[in-house]
Amino acid sequence: MSEINLHFQLPGNQKIDKFLAKISKKKDLQIASQQYSLKTFYDSFDWRLFNAGVLCELNQSKSDSRLTLVDLQSGQPIAAAEMDQAPRFAEEFADARLQSILAPLLKMRALLSLTSLSYQAYRINILNKDGKTTLRLLIEDYELLPARVYLQPIKGYDKTAKRISALLEKKLGLKMAKKPVIYAALELQGRKPADYSAKLAIQLDPKMRADLSCKYIYSHLLQAIKVNEAGTIDAIDSEFLHDFRVAVRRTRAGLSQLKRVLPAAVVGRNAEFFAWLGQISGPARDMDVYLLNFASYQHSLPEDMQGDLQPLYELIKVKQHQSHRELAAKLKSVEYIGKLQAWEDYLKESVVKRPAEADALLSIKQLADKRLWRVYRRVLNQGNAISDQTPPKALHRLRKTCKKLRYLMEFFQSLYPEKKIKRQIKALKELQDILGDFQDYQVQESTLKRFANEMMAEQTSADTLIAMGVLVQNLRQQRLRARQAFAGCFDKFKRPENQASFQALFSGKL
Protein backbone atom coordinates (compact mmCIF):
# COMPACT_ATOMS: atom_id res chain seq x y z
CA MET A 1 0.00 0.00 0.00
CA SER A 2 2.89 2.36 0.74
CA GLU A 3 3.73 2.77 -2.95
CA ILE A 4 0.25 4.14 -3.73
CA ASN A 5 -0.19 7.87 -3.79
CA LEU A 6 -2.95 8.79 -1.33
CA HIS A 7 -2.73 12.57 -1.38
CA PHE A 8 -3.62 14.70 -4.44
CA GLN A 9 -4.09 18.32 -5.33
CA LEU A 10 -6.67 19.58 -7.81
CA PRO A 11 -5.51 21.94 -10.55
CA GLY A 12 -5.97 25.51 -9.30
CA ASN A 13 -8.73 26.33 -11.80
CA GLN A 14 -10.80 23.16 -11.32
CA LYS A 15 -14.03 23.42 -9.31
CA ILE A 16 -14.99 20.64 -6.95
CA ASP A 17 -18.39 19.99 -8.57
CA LYS A 18 -16.68 19.46 -11.90
CA PHE A 19 -14.25 17.00 -10.30
CA LEU A 20 -17.09 15.08 -8.65
CA ALA A 21 -18.95 14.92 -11.96
CA LYS A 22 -15.87 13.48 -13.65
CA ILE A 23 -15.24 10.79 -11.07
CA SER A 24 -18.91 9.83 -10.87
CA LYS A 25 -18.74 8.90 -14.55
CA LYS A 26 -16.04 6.37 -13.69
CA LYS A 27 -17.18 5.07 -10.31
CA ASP A 28 -20.30 4.77 -8.22
CA LEU A 29 -20.02 7.17 -5.35
CA GLN A 30 -22.02 8.49 -2.46
CA ILE A 31 -21.57 11.88 -0.81
CA ALA A 32 -21.72 10.90 2.84
CA SER A 33 -21.42 14.47 4.13
CA GLN A 34 -20.56 18.02 3.17
CA GLN A 35 -19.98 20.76 5.71
CA TYR A 36 -18.09 23.97 6.39
CA SER A 37 -14.92 23.31 8.39
CA LEU A 38 -11.99 25.15 9.87
CA LYS A 39 -8.48 23.67 10.04
CA THR A 40 -6.00 25.24 12.47
CA PHE A 41 -2.36 24.20 12.67
CA TYR A 42 -0.49 24.29 15.98
CA ASP A 43 3.14 24.07 17.00
CA SER A 44 5.51 25.59 19.53
CA PHE A 45 7.11 28.93 18.72
CA ASP A 46 10.35 27.13 17.86
CA TRP A 47 8.65 24.43 15.75
CA ARG A 48 9.41 21.45 17.96
CA LEU A 49 6.68 19.27 16.45
CA PHE A 50 7.52 20.12 12.85
CA ASN A 51 11.22 19.51 13.50
CA ALA A 52 10.27 16.10 14.92
CA GLY A 53 8.25 15.27 11.79
CA VAL A 54 4.81 15.82 13.34
CA LEU A 55 1.93 18.10 12.32
CA CYS A 56 -0.75 19.09 14.82
CA GLU A 57 -4.09 20.14 13.34
CA LEU A 58 -7.48 20.88 14.83
CA ASN A 59 -10.36 20.36 12.40
CA GLN A 60 -13.63 21.93 13.53
CA SER A 61 -17.07 21.65 11.95
CA LYS A 62 -20.68 21.79 13.12
CA SER A 63 -20.75 18.05 13.78
CA ASP A 64 -17.18 17.33 14.85
CA SER A 65 -14.08 18.88 16.40
CA ARG A 66 -10.98 16.72 16.40
CA LEU A 67 -7.29 17.28 17.06
CA THR A 68 -5.02 15.04 15.01
CA LEU A 69 -1.29 14.45 15.02
CA VAL A 70 -0.09 13.63 11.51
CA ASP A 71 3.16 12.07 10.35
CA LEU A 72 4.78 14.80 8.25
CA GLN A 73 6.48 12.32 5.94
CA SER A 74 3.63 9.93 5.17
CA GLY A 75 0.65 12.20 5.84
CA GLN A 76 -0.93 9.44 7.93
CA PRO A 77 -2.58 10.12 11.31
CA ILE A 78 -0.54 9.16 14.37
CA ALA A 79 -3.12 9.89 17.06
CA ALA A 80 -6.37 11.82 17.37
CA ALA A 81 -9.01 12.78 19.89
CA GLU A 82 -12.19 14.81 19.95
CA MET A 83 -11.82 18.23 21.60
CA ASP A 84 -13.19 21.73 21.10
CA GLN A 85 -9.86 23.54 21.46
CA ALA A 86 -6.21 22.69 21.72
CA PRO A 87 -4.80 22.84 25.27
CA ARG A 88 -1.83 25.11 25.71
CA PHE A 89 0.60 22.64 27.32
CA ALA A 90 1.14 18.91 26.74
CA GLU A 91 0.31 17.97 30.33
CA GLU A 92 -3.16 19.55 29.88
CA PHE A 93 -4.19 16.97 27.25
CA ALA A 94 -6.77 14.56 28.68
CA ASP A 95 -6.06 11.96 25.99
CA ALA A 96 -3.19 9.80 27.25
CA ARG A 97 -1.94 8.85 23.78
CA LEU A 98 -1.69 12.48 22.64
CA GLN A 99 -0.05 13.50 25.89
CA SER A 100 2.53 10.71 25.68
CA ILE A 101 3.56 11.87 22.20
CA LEU A 102 3.50 15.60 22.83
CA ALA A 103 5.07 15.82 26.29
CA PRO A 104 8.61 14.71 25.34
CA LEU A 105 8.55 16.87 22.20
CA LEU A 106 7.11 20.09 23.57
CA LYS A 107 8.46 19.86 27.14
CA MET A 108 7.91 23.33 28.63
CA ARG A 109 6.82 25.02 25.40
CA ALA A 110 3.22 26.08 24.70
CA LEU A 111 1.20 25.04 21.66
CA LEU A 112 0.43 28.12 19.58
CA SER A 113 -1.92 28.60 16.66
CA LEU A 114 0.11 29.04 13.45
CA THR A 115 -2.52 29.56 10.78
CA SER A 116 -6.09 28.58 9.88
CA LEU A 117 -7.81 27.54 6.67
CA SER A 118 -11.57 27.49 6.07
CA TYR A 119 -12.90 24.88 3.67
CA GLN A 120 -15.78 22.68 2.60
CA ALA A 121 -15.17 19.10 3.72
CA TYR A 122 -16.63 16.39 1.49
CA ARG A 123 -16.69 12.78 2.65
CA ILE A 124 -17.20 10.51 -0.35
CA ASN A 125 -17.74 6.76 -0.37
CA ILE A 126 -16.65 4.79 -3.44
CA LEU A 127 -19.05 1.89 -3.90
CA ASN A 128 -18.75 -1.49 -5.61
CA LYS A 129 -21.45 -3.24 -7.59
CA ASP A 130 -23.00 -4.53 -4.36
CA GLY A 131 -23.24 -1.03 -2.94
CA LYS A 132 -20.49 -1.68 -0.39
CA THR A 133 -18.02 1.07 0.44
CA THR A 134 -14.59 0.03 -0.81
CA LEU A 135 -12.75 3.34 -0.41
CA ARG A 136 -13.34 6.69 1.28
CA LEU A 137 -12.28 10.04 -0.13
CA LEU A 138 -11.86 13.13 1.99
CA ILE A 139 -11.91 16.29 -0.11
CA GLU A 140 -10.92 19.60 1.44
CA ASP A 141 -12.05 22.44 -0.84
CA TYR A 142 -10.21 25.49 0.53
CA GLU A 143 -11.36 29.05 -0.03
CA LEU A 144 -7.87 30.37 -0.81
CA LEU A 145 -5.98 27.30 -2.02
CA PRO A 146 -6.48 24.46 -4.54
CA ALA A 147 -8.52 21.59 -3.12
CA ARG A 148 -6.83 18.49 -1.72
CA VAL A 149 -8.07 14.89 -2.10
CA TYR A 150 -7.12 12.26 0.48
CA LEU A 151 -7.66 8.55 -0.17
CA GLN A 152 -8.58 6.56 2.94
CA PRO A 153 -8.23 2.83 2.06
CA ILE A 154 -10.46 0.22 3.65
CA LYS A 155 -8.97 -3.05 4.83
CA GLY A 156 -9.55 -5.81 2.30
CA TYR A 157 -10.00 -3.41 -0.63
CA ASP A 158 -6.42 -2.43 -1.36
CA LYS A 159 -6.90 -2.91 -5.08
CA THR A 160 -9.66 -0.29 -5.14
CA ALA A 161 -7.34 2.27 -3.58
CA LYS A 162 -4.70 1.44 -6.16
CA ARG A 163 -7.15 1.74 -9.07
CA ILE A 164 -8.64 5.05 -7.84
CA SER A 165 -5.15 6.48 -7.22
CA ALA A 166 -4.21 5.64 -10.82
CA LEU A 167 -7.52 7.03 -12.09
CA LEU A 168 -7.05 10.38 -10.35
CA GLU A 169 -3.50 10.78 -11.58
CA LYS A 170 -3.66 9.38 -15.11
CA LYS A 171 -7.25 9.97 -16.24
CA LEU A 172 -8.44 12.99 -14.26
CA GLY A 173 -5.17 14.95 -14.28
CA LEU A 174 -4.70 15.39 -10.54
CA LYS A 175 -1.17 15.97 -9.28
CA MET A 176 0.39 14.26 -6.33
CA ALA A 177 0.53 16.72 -3.42
CA LYS A 178 4.25 16.78 -2.61
CA LYS A 179 3.93 18.75 0.60
CA PRO A 180 1.29 19.04 3.32
CA VAL A 181 -1.10 21.97 2.91
CA ILE A 182 0.53 23.82 5.82
CA TYR A 183 3.33 24.90 3.47
CA ALA A 184 0.86 26.67 1.15
CA ALA A 185 -1.14 28.06 4.09
CA LEU A 186 1.97 29.64 5.61
CA GLU A 187 3.04 30.97 2.22
CA LEU A 188 -0.18 32.97 2.12
CA GLN A 189 1.16 34.77 5.21
CA GLY A 190 4.64 35.20 3.75
CA ARG A 191 5.99 32.59 6.13
CA LYS A 192 7.54 29.15 5.88
CA PRO A 193 7.87 26.29 8.38
CA ALA A 194 10.67 26.39 10.95
CA ASP A 195 11.22 30.11 10.43
CA TYR A 196 12.46 30.55 14.00
CA SER A 197 15.26 28.84 15.87
CA ALA A 198 17.08 29.92 19.00
CA LYS A 199 20.33 28.65 17.47
CA LEU A 200 22.59 31.24 15.92
CA ALA A 201 23.16 30.81 12.19
CA ILE A 202 25.08 33.88 11.08
CA GLN A 203 26.83 33.64 7.73
CA LEU A 204 29.87 35.92 7.53
CA ASP A 205 32.23 36.62 4.66
CA PRO A 206 35.79 36.29 6.03
CA LYS A 207 36.78 39.46 4.14
CA MET A 208 33.99 41.63 5.50
CA ARG A 209 35.02 44.68 7.49
CA ALA A 210 34.92 44.06 11.22
CA ASP A 211 32.66 47.04 11.98
CA LEU A 212 30.14 46.00 9.31
CA SER A 213 30.23 42.36 10.48
CA CYS A 214 29.67 43.35 14.11
CA LYS A 215 26.63 45.39 13.12
CA TYR A 216 25.38 42.36 11.19
CA ILE A 217 25.82 40.11 14.23
CA TYR A 218 24.13 42.58 16.58
CA SER A 219 21.24 42.93 14.11
CA HIS A 220 20.64 39.16 14.29
CA LEU A 221 20.63 39.32 18.08
CA LEU A 222 18.31 42.32 18.06
CA GLN A 223 15.90 40.39 15.88
CA ALA A 224 15.93 37.53 18.43
CA ILE A 225 15.15 40.01 21.21
CA LYS A 226 12.27 41.54 19.27
CA VAL A 227 10.60 38.27 18.17
CA ASN A 228 10.66 36.99 21.76
CA GLU A 229 9.53 40.28 23.30
CA ALA A 230 5.73 39.83 23.00
CA GLY A 231 5.85 36.25 24.32
CA THR A 232 7.96 37.46 27.24
CA ILE A 233 5.54 40.26 28.09
CA ASP A 234 2.55 37.89 27.85
CA ALA A 235 4.44 35.12 29.71
CA ILE A 236 3.21 32.55 27.18
CA ASP A 237 5.85 30.02 28.22
CA SER A 238 9.22 30.13 29.94
CA GLU A 239 11.29 29.87 26.75
CA PHE A 240 10.35 33.27 25.36
CA LEU A 241 12.09 34.92 28.30
CA HIS A 242 14.94 32.39 28.11
CA ASP A 243 15.63 33.16 24.43
CA PHE A 244 15.17 36.90 25.08
CA ARG A 245 17.81 36.77 27.82
CA VAL A 246 20.21 34.67 25.77
CA ALA A 247 20.09 37.27 22.97
CA VAL A 248 20.69 40.01 25.55
CA ARG A 249 23.66 38.12 27.05
CA ARG A 250 25.14 37.47 23.62
CA THR A 251 24.86 41.17 22.82
CA ARG A 252 26.55 42.07 26.11
CA ALA A 253 29.35 39.58 25.38
CA GLY A 254 29.87 41.10 21.94
CA LEU A 255 29.98 44.64 23.29
CA SER A 256 32.49 43.67 25.98
CA GLN A 257 34.72 41.45 23.83
CA LEU A 258 34.68 43.23 20.47
CA LYS A 259 35.91 46.63 21.56
CA ARG A 260 37.79 49.09 19.33
CA VAL A 261 35.45 48.17 16.46
CA LEU A 262 32.44 50.42 17.01
CA PRO A 263 32.65 53.92 18.58
CA ALA A 264 33.39 53.74 22.32
CA ALA A 265 30.49 56.04 23.17
CA VAL A 266 28.02 53.76 21.34
CA VAL A 267 29.49 50.64 22.96
CA GLY A 268 29.46 52.17 26.45
CA ARG A 269 25.92 53.49 26.19
CA ASN A 270 24.49 50.21 24.93
CA ALA A 271 26.58 48.02 27.24
CA GLU A 272 24.86 49.84 30.09
CA PHE A 273 21.42 49.38 28.48
CA PHE A 274 21.84 45.63 27.89
CA ALA A 275 23.27 45.15 31.39
CA TRP A 276 20.07 46.77 32.69
CA LEU A 277 18.00 44.41 30.53
CA GLY A 278 19.86 41.44 31.97
CA GLN A 279 19.28 42.72 35.48
CA ILE A 280 15.52 43.39 35.17
CA SER A 281 14.81 40.06 33.47
CA GLY A 282 16.80 37.94 35.95
CA PRO A 283 14.23 37.56 38.77
CA ALA A 284 11.47 36.34 36.43
CA ARG A 285 13.83 33.82 34.80
CA ASP A 286 15.00 32.59 38.22
CA MET A 287 11.41 31.85 39.24
CA ASP A 288 10.78 30.09 35.90
CA VAL A 289 13.81 27.88 36.51
CA TYR A 290 12.70 26.98 40.03
CA LEU A 291 9.30 25.93 38.70
CA LEU A 292 10.85 23.96 35.82
CA ASN A 293 13.06 22.17 38.36
CA PHE A 294 10.30 21.61 40.87
CA ALA A 295 9.46 18.04 39.84
CA SER A 296 13.12 17.07 40.22
CA TYR A 297 13.18 18.80 43.62
CA GLN A 298 10.27 16.64 44.73
CA HIS A 299 11.69 13.43 43.31
CA SER A 300 14.98 14.02 45.15
CA LEU A 301 13.09 13.65 48.46
CA PRO A 302 11.79 10.48 50.12
CA GLU A 303 8.33 9.70 48.77
CA ASP A 304 6.55 10.49 52.04
CA MET A 305 8.07 14.00 52.08
CA GLN A 306 7.40 14.99 48.47
CA GLY A 307 3.93 16.41 49.14
CA ASP A 308 5.30 18.61 51.92
CA LEU A 309 6.99 20.82 49.31
CA GLN A 310 3.67 22.03 47.87
CA PRO A 311 3.66 25.31 49.90
CA LEU A 312 7.08 26.05 48.40
CA TYR A 313 5.61 25.59 44.91
CA GLU A 314 2.79 28.01 45.75
CA LEU A 315 5.27 30.58 47.06
CA ILE A 316 7.43 30.37 43.92
CA LYS A 317 4.32 30.61 41.73
CA VAL A 318 3.29 33.85 43.45
CA LYS A 319 6.80 35.27 43.07
CA GLN A 320 6.86 34.20 39.41
CA HIS A 321 3.64 36.08 38.64
CA GLN A 322 4.86 39.15 40.47
CA SER A 323 8.28 39.21 38.79
CA HIS A 324 6.75 38.67 35.33
CA ARG A 325 4.30 41.54 35.90
CA GLU A 326 7.16 43.83 36.90
CA LEU A 327 9.23 42.76 33.90
CA ALA A 328 6.31 43.25 31.49
CA ALA A 329 5.81 46.79 32.79
CA LYS A 330 9.48 47.60 32.19
CA LEU A 331 9.41 46.12 28.69
CA LYS A 332 6.47 48.41 27.88
CA SER A 333 8.22 51.47 29.30
CA VAL A 334 9.32 54.49 27.30
CA GLU A 335 12.87 53.91 28.53
CA TYR A 336 13.08 50.38 27.12
CA ILE A 337 11.32 51.14 23.84
CA GLY A 338 13.35 54.30 23.21
CA LYS A 339 16.76 52.73 23.91
CA LEU A 340 16.04 49.60 21.87
CA GLN A 341 14.85 51.76 18.96
CA ALA A 342 18.00 53.92 19.21
CA TRP A 343 20.14 50.74 19.06
CA GLU A 344 18.22 49.51 16.02
CA ASP A 345 18.56 52.91 14.30
CA TYR A 346 22.31 52.87 14.90
CA LEU A 347 22.68 49.34 13.50
CA LYS A 348 20.85 50.41 10.33
CA GLU A 349 23.23 53.32 9.71
CA SER A 350 25.95 52.82 7.10
CA VAL A 351 29.48 52.36 8.42
CA VAL A 352 31.80 55.35 7.95
CA LYS A 353 34.55 55.09 5.32
CA ARG A 354 37.41 56.03 7.66
CA PRO A 355 36.52 54.97 11.20
CA ALA A 356 38.68 56.07 14.12
CA GLU A 357 38.47 52.75 15.96
CA ALA A 358 41.68 50.70 15.69
CA ASP A 359 40.07 47.35 14.74
CA ALA A 360 37.17 48.60 12.62
CA LEU A 361 38.91 48.02 9.29
CA LEU A 362 40.29 44.58 10.11
CA SER A 363 38.65 41.74 8.23
CA ILE A 364 36.20 39.87 10.43
CA LYS A 365 38.37 36.75 10.16
CA GLN A 366 41.37 38.66 11.50
CA LEU A 367 39.30 40.02 14.37
CA ALA A 368 37.75 36.62 15.14
CA ASP A 369 41.15 34.86 15.23
CA LYS A 370 42.56 37.54 17.48
CA ARG A 371 39.70 37.63 19.99
CA LEU A 372 39.00 33.88 20.12
CA TRP A 373 42.62 33.01 20.74
CA ARG A 374 42.95 35.67 23.44
CA VAL A 375 39.78 34.61 25.31
CA TYR A 376 40.71 30.93 24.97
CA ARG A 377 44.07 31.58 26.62
CA ARG A 378 42.26 33.49 29.39
CA VAL A 379 40.11 30.40 30.02
CA LEU A 380 43.25 28.25 30.33
CA ASN A 381 44.95 30.72 32.67
CA GLN A 382 41.92 31.08 34.93
CA GLY A 383 41.31 27.33 34.98
CA ASN A 384 44.95 26.50 35.75
CA ALA A 385 44.83 28.84 38.75
CA ILE A 386 41.98 26.87 40.38
CA SER A 387 42.82 24.30 43.06
CA ASP A 388 40.74 22.39 45.59
CA GLN A 389 41.04 25.34 47.98
CA THR A 390 40.07 28.03 45.48
CA PRO A 391 36.99 30.08 46.55
CA PRO A 392 33.77 29.57 44.51
CA LYS A 393 33.96 33.06 43.02
CA ALA A 394 36.99 31.98 40.93
CA LEU A 395 34.94 29.19 39.36
CA HIS A 396 32.16 31.66 38.69
CA ARG A 397 34.63 34.02 37.00
CA LEU A 398 35.87 31.14 34.84
CA ARG A 399 32.27 30.25 33.98
CA LYS A 400 31.64 33.80 32.74
CA THR A 401 34.82 33.73 30.65
CA CYS A 402 33.76 30.38 29.14
CA LYS A 403 30.40 31.91 28.23
CA LYS A 404 32.11 34.78 26.45
CA LEU A 405 34.30 32.35 24.53
CA ARG A 406 31.25 30.23 23.63
CA TYR A 407 29.31 33.23 22.35
CA LEU A 408 32.26 34.43 20.27
CA MET A 409 32.68 30.96 18.77
CA GLU A 410 28.98 30.91 17.89
CA PHE A 411 29.17 34.39 16.33
CA PHE A 412 32.10 33.40 14.14
CA GLN A 413 31.50 29.69 13.48
CA SER A 414 30.78 30.25 9.77
CA LEU A 415 34.39 31.45 9.35
CA TYR A 416 35.87 28.07 10.31
CA PRO A 417 35.57 24.45 9.11
CA GLU A 418 32.21 23.29 10.45
CA LYS A 419 33.29 19.98 11.99
CA LYS A 420 36.33 21.48 13.71
CA ILE A 421 34.54 24.46 15.25
CA LYS A 422 31.61 22.30 16.40
CA ARG A 423 34.05 19.87 18.04
CA GLN A 424 35.63 22.71 20.01
CA ILE A 425 32.25 24.16 20.97
CA LYS A 426 31.26 20.73 22.28
CA ALA A 427 34.45 20.45 24.34
CA LEU A 428 33.82 23.90 25.81
CA LYS A 429 30.17 23.06 26.53
CA GLU A 430 31.17 20.08 28.70
CA LEU A 431 33.28 22.37 30.84
CA GLN A 432 30.52 24.97 30.95
CA ASP A 433 27.99 22.37 32.13
CA ILE A 434 30.09 21.45 35.17
CA LEU A 435 30.74 25.10 36.05
CA GLY A 436 27.06 25.92 35.48
CA ASP A 437 25.89 23.10 37.75
CA PHE A 438 28.26 24.22 40.51
CA GLN A 439 27.05 27.83 40.35
CA ASP A 440 23.35 26.95 39.96
CA TYR A 441 23.31 24.58 42.95
CA GLN A 442 24.99 27.20 45.09
CA VAL A 443 22.46 29.89 44.09
CA GLN A 444 19.54 27.50 44.62
CA GLU A 445 20.77 26.58 48.11
CA SER A 446 21.01 30.23 49.04
CA THR A 447 17.62 31.12 47.56
CA LEU A 448 15.83 28.21 49.23
CA LYS A 449 17.27 29.22 52.60
CA ARG A 450 15.93 32.74 52.01
CA PHE A 451 12.51 31.36 51.04
CA ALA A 452 12.54 29.18 54.18
CA ASN A 453 13.08 32.26 56.34
CA GLU A 454 10.17 34.03 54.62
CA MET A 455 7.93 30.99 55.06
CA MET A 456 8.93 30.59 58.70
CA ALA A 457 7.72 34.15 59.32
CA GLU A 458 4.43 33.15 57.68
CA GLN A 459 4.15 30.19 60.08
CA THR A 460 4.49 27.56 57.37
CA SER A 461 4.20 24.01 58.70
CA ALA A 462 7.26 22.34 60.18
CA ASP A 463 6.91 19.44 57.71
CA THR A 464 7.44 21.84 54.79
CA LEU A 465 10.46 23.49 56.40
CA ILE A 466 11.98 20.07 57.17
CA ALA A 467 11.43 18.98 53.55
CA MET A 468 13.10 22.18 52.34
CA GLY A 469 16.01 21.47 54.68
CA VAL A 470 16.46 18.03 53.12
CA LEU A 471 16.26 19.61 49.67
CA VAL A 472 18.98 22.12 50.55
CA GLN A 473 21.17 19.24 51.77
CA ASN A 474 20.58 17.40 48.47
CA LEU A 475 21.55 20.49 46.50
CA ARG A 476 24.68 20.87 48.62
CA GLN A 477 25.68 17.28 47.83
CA GLN A 478 25.14 17.91 44.12
CA ARG A 479 27.20 21.11 44.34
CA LEU A 480 30.07 19.23 46.01
CA ARG A 481 29.95 16.52 43.33
CA ALA A 482 30.10 19.18 40.62
CA ARG A 483 33.05 20.80 42.40
CA GLN A 484 34.87 17.45 42.56
CA ALA A 485 34.17 16.81 38.87
CA PHE A 486 35.65 20.14 37.80
CA ALA A 487 39.34 19.13 37.94
CA GLY A 488 38.86 16.08 35.72
CA CYS A 489 36.69 18.02 33.29
CA PHE A 490 39.19 20.87 33.02
CA ASP A 491 42.08 18.42 32.56
CA LYS A 492 40.14 16.93 29.64
CA PHE A 493 39.47 20.37 28.19
CA LYS A 494 43.13 21.42 28.30
CA ARG A 495 44.53 18.18 26.87
CA PRO A 496 47.47 18.90 24.54
CA GLU A 497 45.55 17.69 21.50
CA ASN A 498 42.66 20.05 22.34
CA GLN A 499 45.03 22.96 22.80
CA ALA A 500 46.68 22.15 19.49
CA SER A 501 43.27 22.12 17.78
CA PHE A 502 42.32 25.49 19.27
CA GLN A 503 45.67 26.93 18.32
CA ALA A 504 45.50 25.63 14.76
CA LEU A 505 41.96 26.89 14.37
CA PHE A 506 42.28 30.38 15.84
CA SER A 507 45.92 31.42 15.88
CA GLY A 508 46.90 29.95 12.55
CA LYS A 509 50.13 28.51 13.98
CA LEU A 510 51.29 25.58 16.07
Side-chain angles (χ1 to χ4, degrees), residues 289-309:
V289 170
Y290 290 130
L291 289 177
L292 290 170
N293 288 339
F294 200 80
S296 67
Y297 289 164
Q298 283 187 308
H299 292 148
S300 72
L301 300 180
E303 193 169 348
D304 61 347
M305 296 181 78
Q306 292 178 5
D308 297 335
L309 276 187

Side-chain angles (χ1 to χ4, degrees), residues 26 35 83-84 88 90 102 116 126 160 166 176 187 270 318 353 359 366 371 381 390-392 394 407:
K26 305 287 185 182
Q35 57 185 339
M83 63 185 71
D84 293 330
R88 172 156 286 193
L102 292 171
S116 295
I126 302 294
T160 303
M176 181 176 71
E187 195 174 351
N270 286 288
V318 169
K353 285 186 178 179
D359 290 345
Q366 288 174 311
R371 291 306 305 167
N381 290 337
T390 303
Y407 292 153

Side-chain angles (χ1 to χ4, degrees), residues 333-352:
S333 69
V334 172
E335 181 182 11
Y336 167 77
I337 294 170
K339 289 183 175 178
L340 196 72
Q341 185 61 54
W343 176 236
E344 182 171 7
D345 291 343
Y346 170 74
L347 295 178
K348 287 179 178 176
E349 291 175 5
S350 300
V351 293
V352 298

Side-chain angles (χ1 to χ4, degrees), residues 41-53:
F41 291 99
Y42 289 84
D43 207 328
S44 64
F45 186 69
D46 56 358
W47 297 88
R48 295 187 178 198
L49 300 185
F50 183 88
N51 290 330

Side-chain angles (χ1 to χ4, degrees), residues 244-458:
F244 179 94
R245 279 176 53 80
V246 169
V248 168
R249 282 203 305 269
R250 283 170 168 160
T251 304
R252 292 178 64 190
L255 291 170
S256 70
Q257 297 303 305
L258 303 173
K259 293 178 177 175
R260 304 198 308 171
V261 177
L262 301 181
V266 172
V267 171
R269 184 168 61 246
N270 286 288
E272 186 178 335
F273 169 56
F274 284 102
W276 174 74
L277 271 186
Q279 182 186 4
I280 65 168
S281 58
R285 177 58 189 168
D286 289 345
M287 294 308 114
D288 286 349
V289 170
Y290 290 130
L291 289 177
L292 290 170
N293 288 339
F294 200 80
S296 67
Y297 289 164
Q298 283 187 308
H299 292 148
S300 72
L301 300 180
E303 193 169 348
D304 61 347
M305 296 181 78
Q306 292 178 5
D308 297 335
L309 276 187
Q310 189 59 28
L312 173 62
Y313 181 88
E314 302 300 336
L315 175 76
I316 297 172
K317 198 74 181 170
V318 169
K319 288 180 178 292
Q320 183 203 37
H321 286 157
Q322 182 180 349
S323 58
H324 271 277
R325 277 199 306 274
E326 292 172 357
L327 174 59
K330 287 170 181 168
L331 295 184
K332 294 175 183 174
S333 69
V334 172
E335 181 182 11
Y336 167 77
I337 294 170
K339 289 183 175 178
L340 196 72
Q341 185 61 54
W343 176 236
E344 182 171 7
D345 291 343
Y346 170 74
L347 295 178
K348 287 179 178 176
E349 291 175 5
S350 300
V351 293
V352 298
K353 285 186 178 179
R354 295 184 179 81
E357 291 68 37
D359 290 345
L361 291 179
L362 291 177
S363 75
I364 191 59
K365 180 67 165 55
Q366 288 174 311
L367 180 71
D369 286 345
K370 180 177 168 183
R371 291 306 305 167
L372 286 166
W373 183 235
R374 182 172 297 177
V375 180
Y376 171 69
R377 285 186 299 170
R378 192 186 306 159
V379 168
L380 290 183
N381 290 337
Q382 290 180 357
N384 282 325
I386 292 174
S387 68
D388 292 343
Q389 286 73 45
T390 303
K393 62 182 181 182
L395 280 88
H396 185 47
R397 184 167 62 248
L398 174 61
R399 182 194 184 196
K400 291 198 291 186
T401 305
C402 287
K403 271 190 178 181
K404 291 169 184 172
L405 177 59
R406 168 88 172 269
Y407 292 153
L408 290 177
M409 292 170 76
E410 290 173 343
F411 292 165
F412 301 134
Q413 58 186 313
S414 68
L415 301 173
Y416 300 94
E418 184 178 353
K419 285 186 180 178
K420 291 182 179 178
I421 186 81
K422 285 189 182 301
R423 193 180 306 129
Q424 300 308 332
I425 290 175
K426 183 181 177 184
L428 178 61
K429 185 176 181 303
E430 290 175 7
L431 179 60
Q432 277 188 281
D433 288 345
I434 289 292
L435 291 166
D437 286 348
F438 177 74
Q439 175 69 13
D440 290 347
Y441 292 139
Q442 186 176 41
V443 171
Q444 289 172 43
E445 281 179 60
S446 173
T447 303
L448 287 172
K449 287 177 184 175
R450 178 162 54 83
F451 287 171
N453 286 331
E454 289 181 30
M455 296 169 76
M456 199 180 300
E458 297 293 326

Side-chain angles (χ1 to χ4, degrees), residues 41-48 50-51 55 72 113-115 179-197 201:
F41 291 99
Y42 289 84
D43 207 328
S44 64
F45 186 69
D46 56 358
W47 297 88
R48 295 187 178 198
F50 183 88
N51 290 330
L55 284 180
L72 185 62
S113 167
L114 298 172
T115 184
K179 292 181 179 179
V181 73
I182 188 175
Y183 284 85
L186 289 170
E187 195 174 351
L188 289 175
Q189 301 178 340
R191 295 186 62 187
K192 58 184 180 180
D195 56 4
Y196 172 78
S197 170

